[in-house]
């Protein structure tokens, strides 16, 4: 399994709306991608902004490419999300999952 890590930052006043968009639209949309195996959403107050970290799981790099395209390390950030983001990682990082919360 592959873990795909990405970070984005919002102004504090946009954080709740951005989280709501992630929960209601963006993350459920990724669940429809073949080979998607779930996601973890992290949030923290980082002083002048709010940092969000998404860790999405895919069964293989092929599944990641089905989601992200040929340049699978490019961030996939829908326009609806960009309006809330002050900045974000343009590139993602991928990891082999060696231990997951369910013990696999």
């Amino acid at each position: 399994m592959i873990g795909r890590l990405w970070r984005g930052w919002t102004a504090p006043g946009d954080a709740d709306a951005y989280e709501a968009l992630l929960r209601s639209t963006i993350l459920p949309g990724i669940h429809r991608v073949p080979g998607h195996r779930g996601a973890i959403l992290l949030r923290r107050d980082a002083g002048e902004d709010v940092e969000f970290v998404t860790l999405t799981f895919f069964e293989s790099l092929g599944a990641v490419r089905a989601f992200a395209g040929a340049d699978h390390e490019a961030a996939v950030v829908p326009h609806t999300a960009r309006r809330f983001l002050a900045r974000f990682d343009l590139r993602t990082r991928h990891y082999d999952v060696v231990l997951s919360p369910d013990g696999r």
Side-chain angles (χ1 to χ4, degrees), residues 15-63:
D16 289 343
Y18 180 63
E19 181 181 336
L21 178 66
L22 287 169
R23 288 174 173 267
S24 67
T25 305
I26 294 174
L27 292 175
I30 297 171
H31 283 98
R32 292 189 275 281
V33 174
H36 181 263
R37 296 293 176 251
I40 294 173
L41 176 61
L42 305 173
R43 175 181 169 164
R44 76 177 181 107
D45 181 352
E48 294 183 15
D49 50 18
V50 177
E51 180 182 8
F52 288 87
V53 177
T54 60
L55 180 56
T56 50
F57 299 99
F58 294 87
E59 67 185 22
S60 66
L61 277 177

Side-chain angles (χ1 to χ4, degrees), residues 6 13-14 16 22 28 33 37 41 45-47 55 62 67 76 82 84 87-88 93 95-96 101 103:
W6 176 86
D14 290 330
D16 289 343
L22 287 169
V33 174
R37 296 293 176 251
L41 176 61
D45 181 352
L55 180 56
F67 164 67
V76 176
R82 289 176 188 244
F84 295 114
R87 68 185 193 283
F88 57 87
R93 292 178 299 279
Y95 300 87
D96 290 322

